[in-house]
């Protein structure tokens, strides 16, 4: 009798092995401020220094962000990342001369995006990276 | 007269591991429960495997569709010495005015290769290239044909509705710019989009396999000679699904698209082509509906220009900035000078 139950438990345990794969990630979130003010509508990119897929997140009205690695997978790869923050959205004109998308100008200095100096090390588990940027 | 219990036949039938002391001709409740539990566990083990086998079959069908598109593109090149453009504005009309979004419907690459995918009748009935798109769709018979579409442009893994209700096409006098009102019609959904640019979608300065043929330097078309990186290192066509996680990615439309705006989700280019700005299978913003995506677990199928179809993992090296500096962008850009080893 006990053997049957042990076998059943083993099989149930085995069925748990059919889980999702993918690389190990660390959860990354935090708040972005520019000159002390929360930065809304910015794109935060965590670019792995060793190569791999960039994880991205977007700030809300309070400047809070959480990055996503892939569909439904929160976080970023482990290890060192270059961090880029940008608010740029390019203006799009249509053929008929209308402005199809007005775009948003860049508010963040280049040393935080195209020539970023920000490096953050993502560890397993929860990572809180609050970024206080100065425009000068 | 012997009792029944004395027959050798029934004493052999005393098989229970728990008790043989009494004669029984029924199962106990515990025995039944144990049997049911074991069967339940076995089914629970089997179900994921069955689902995986079904997805594998769907993915195979999807791969085959891409392969057929690849053969059609090569046959098109044999005929015209160039690959099709991603879409073709009516040149006569373009020279006098424009092809405004919401008012004009433009023929796209999936319509140009119809004769090469054995759909000449579809090509002829819709009068591809002879009638402006919105005029062709203004006729009930032709609209019905455009709504039936061609099954080979749909991937069975993407549970998309047969008609694309998220990306509508102007018919007759058309509707608003995003084509969300009554002046626009729904046509058949497609799941395959061409590779346009390694960054944002671009109308004029694109560096991928397919684009509009109007560039500042004149007319641009791509032939085998322009695939400087090599046909085995350049993506021609990829997938875009209907929905991934909780994000509606809108798939693509067959044969036609809304008028021409280069980089807006509900207009022009974004209907039928994809850019490398958005990670493979990304869902973190609505703009992801301008990239490649699929419902195959862990990645998507891609047709390369050499006609081969490869599964590319969503963990592929990818930097989302504007420069071409990661494996995913190398694959999309046709002349960056960086060949890529596919896994």
């Amino acid at each position: 009798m006990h053997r049957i139950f042990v076998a059943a438990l083993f099989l149930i345990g085995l069925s748990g092995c059919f889980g999702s794969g993918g690389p190990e990630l660390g959860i990354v979130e935090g708040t972005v401020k520019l000159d002390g003010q929360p930065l809304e509508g910015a794109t935060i990119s965590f670019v792995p220094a060793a190569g791999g897929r960039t994880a991205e997140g977007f700030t809300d009205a309070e400047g809070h962000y959480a990055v996503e690695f892939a569909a439904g997978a929160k976080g970023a790869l482990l290890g060192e990342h270059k961090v880029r923050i940008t608010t740029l959205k390019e203006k799009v004109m249509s053929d008929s001369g209308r402005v199809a998308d007005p775009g948003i100008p860049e508010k963040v200095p280049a040393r935080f995006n195209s020539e970023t100096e920000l490096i953050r090390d993502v560890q397993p588990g929860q990572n809180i990276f609050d970024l206080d940027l100065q425009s000068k | 007269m012997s009792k029944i219990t004395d027959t050798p036949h029934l004493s052999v039938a005393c098989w229970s591991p728990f008790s043989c002391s009494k004669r029984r001709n029924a199962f106990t409740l515990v025995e039944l429960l144990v049997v049911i539990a074991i069967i339940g566990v076995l089914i629970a083990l089997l179900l994921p495997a069955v689902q995986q086998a079904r997805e594998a079959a769907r993915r195979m069908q999807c791969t085959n569709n891409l392969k057929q598109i690849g053969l059609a593109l090569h046959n098109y090149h044999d005929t015209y010495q160039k690959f099709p453009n991603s879409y073709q504005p009516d040149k006569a009309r373009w020279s006098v005015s424009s092809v405004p979004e919401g008012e004009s419907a433009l023929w796209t690459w999936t319509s140009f290769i119809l004769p090469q995918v054995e759909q000449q009748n579809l090509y002829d009935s819709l009068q591809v290239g002879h009638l402006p798109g919105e005029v062709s769709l203004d006729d009930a018979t032709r609209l019905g044909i455009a709504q039936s579409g061609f099954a080979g442009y749909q991937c069975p893994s993407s549970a998309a509705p047969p008609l694309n209700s998220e990306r509508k096409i102007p018919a007759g006098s058309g509707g608003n710019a995003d084509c969300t009102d009554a002046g626009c019609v729904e046509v058949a959904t497609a799941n395959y989009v061409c590779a346009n640019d390694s960054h944002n979608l671009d109308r004029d300065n694109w560096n991928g396999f397919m684009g509009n043929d109007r560039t500042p330097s004149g007319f641009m078309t791509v032939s085998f000679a322009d695939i400087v990186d090599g046909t085995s290192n350049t993506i021609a066509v990829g997938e875009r699904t209907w929905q991934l996680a909780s994000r509606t990615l809108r798939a693509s439309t067959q044969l036609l698209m809304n008028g021409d705006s280069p980089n807006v989700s509900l207009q022009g280019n974004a209907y039928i082509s994809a850019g490398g700005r958005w990670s493979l299978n990304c869902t973190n913003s609505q703009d992801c509906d301008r990239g490649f995506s699929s419902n195959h677990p862990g990645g998507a199928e891609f047709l390369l220009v050499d006609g081969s179809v490869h599964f590319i993992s969503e963990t592929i090296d990818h930097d989302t900035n504007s420069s071409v500096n990661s494996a995913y962008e190398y694959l999309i850009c046709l002349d960056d000078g960086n060949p890529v080893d596919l896994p």
Side-chain angles (χ1 to χ4, degrees):
Chain A
M1 192 68 184
H2 280 298
R3 280 187 189 172
I4 294 174
F5 273 120
V6 169
L9 280 176
F10 174 73
L11 288 176
I12 291 168
L14 202 68
S15 66
C17 295
F18 296 93
S20 57
E24 196 186 344
L25 304 177
I27 304 292
V28 175
E29 57 183 314
T31 306
V32 182
K33 284 181 181 168
L34 181 64
D35 299 328
Q37 296 298 313
L39 188 62
E40 186 183 358
T43 305
I44 319 296
S45 306
F46 277 72
V47 188
R53 178 172 167 137
T54 301
E56 282 190 326
F58 304 90
T59 54
D60 58 18
E62 283 83 47
H64 183 261
Y65 72 95
V67 302
E68 184 184 277
F69 179 71
K74 294 254 173 275
L77 291 169
L78 303 184
E80 280 200 349
H81 287 73
K82 283 184 286 183
V83 183
R84 295 201 200 106
I85 298 139
T86 178
T87 56
L88 180 69
K89 196 159 177 258
E90 280 160 30
K91 181 176 176 177
V92 179
M93 295 295 289
S94 72
D95 269 333
S96 46
R98 281 185 285 221
V99 179
D101 186 339
I104 302 167
E106 182 67 87
K107 296 178 198 159
V108 182
R111 66 178 188 278
F112 301 118
N113 45 60
S114 54
E115 294 145 32
T116 187
E117 300 154 0
L118 280 176
I119 306 282
R120 289 292 183 276
D121 195 7
V122 177
Q123 301 290 331
Q126 187 86 6
N127 298 267
I128 306 281
F129 295 130
D130 289 331
L131 304 163
D132 265 317
L133 315 179
Q134 301 299 324
S135 56
K136 295 269 167 59
Chain B
M1 287 279 285
S2 61
K3 289 177 185 170
I4 293 167
T5 45
D6 291 336
T7 60
H9 166 86
L10 273 185
S11 62
V12 168
C14 176
W15 50 270
S16 166
F18 306 122
S19 161
C20 258
S21 58
K22 293 185 287 191
R23 179 179 70 88
R24 302 181 331 185
N25 49 18
F27 294 109
T28 66
L29 182 62
V30 172
E31 282 167 349
L32 275 175
L33 287 177
V34 166
V35 167
I36 291 168
I38 290 174
I39 292 172
V41 166
L42 286 178
I43 290 174
L45 280 177
L46 203 61
L47 266 183
V50 171
Q51 294 303 334
Q52 279 173 24
R54 292 177 68 187
E55 165 55 23
R58 286 192 293 258
R59 192 172 62 229
M60 215 177 287
Q61 169 85 53
C62 204
T63 307
N64 184 54
N65 288 347
L66 276 171
K67 181 78 191 170
Q68 297 298 329
I69 291 172
L71 293 174
L73 289 172
H74 280 220
N75 283 333
Y76 186 99
H77 191 282
D78 283 351
T79 310
Y80 300 104
Q81 278 74 55
K82 66 180 180 87
F83 290 110
N85 289 113
S86 61
Y87 64 98
Q88 185 68 59
D90 180 21
K91 292 216 183 82
R93 198 164 35 150
W94 197 318
S95 61
V96 290
S97 60
S98 64
V99 284
E101 53 286 349
E103 292 168 31
S104 59
L106 306 181
W107 298 107
T108 67
W109 65 276
T110 49
S111 68
F112 305 142
I113 62 169
L114 279 176
Q116 282 76 26
V117 290
E118 306 291 336
Q119 299 294 322
Q120 183 76 47
N121 51 349
L122 210 58
Y123 188 87
D124 292 341
S125 338
L126 290 169
Q127 304 196 39
V128 174
H130 295 289
L131 288 180
E134 72 277 12
V135 175
S136 182
L137 290 180
D138 205 17
D139 173 88
T141 314
R142 286 193 293 258
L143 177 61
I145 293 168
Q147 291 182 331
S148 312
F150 171 50
Y153 290 153
Q154 289 171 345
C155 173
S157 296
S158 168
L163 298 183
N164 195 327
S165 54
E166 286 281 338
R167 296 191 201 261
K168 297 214 249 175
I169 315 278
S173 53
N176 62 2
D178 282 345
C179 239
T180 48
D181 59 10
C184 295
V185 294
E186 298 172 7
V187 300
T189 308
N191 289 115
Y192 303 110
V193 287
C194 62
N196 172 245
D197 194 85
S198 61
H199 195 57
N200 286 326
L201 297 179
D202 208 308
R203 181 172 53 194
D204 296 328
N205 297 301
W206 41 279
N207 63 17
F209 176 67
M210 262 195 230
N212 159 22
D213 77 352
R214 197 196 68 162
T215 62
S217 55
F219 291 100
M220 176 172 171
T221 51
V222 170
S223 70
F224 274 120
D226 299 310
I227 317 288
V228 178
D229 285 350
T231 54
S232 309
N233 295 305
T234 306
I235 290 172
V237 173
E239 296 183 67
R240 184 182 293 150
T241 191
W242 181 255
Q243 179 144 25
L244 195 58
S246 56
R247 182 70 65 184
T248 301
L249 297 170
R250 308 178 203 268
S252 176
T253 50
Q254 294 191 16
L255 317 178
L256 291 141
M257 67 180 217
N258 189 6
D260 177 47
S261 278
N263 201 20
V264 179
S265 278
L266 285 169
Q267 296 172 14
N269 237 345
Y271 274 46
I272 49 105
S273 50
R277 162 65 185 83
W278 303 278
S279 299
L280 178 54
N281 286 348
C282 81
T283 57
N284 54 8
S285 88
Q286 191 52 51
D287 291 351
C288 291
D289 67 8
R290 288 173 240 167
F292 290 108
S293 55
S294 88
N295 287 98
H296 313 310
E301 299 282 355
F302 284 89
L303 168 72
L304 304 189
V305 182
D306 64 0
S308 63
V309 181
H310 295 262
F311 186 80
I312 294 179
S313 165
E314 64 193 18
T315 56
I316 186 172
D317 173 41
H318 185 206
D319 189 340
T320 51
N321 68 355
S322 58
S323 49
V324 183
N325 60 350
S326 63
Y328 190 56
E329 292 165 299
Y330 295 158
L331 279 170
I332 294 174
C333 183
L334 49 78
D335 58 357
D336 55 88
N338 296 286
V340 183
D341 274 333
L342 279 172

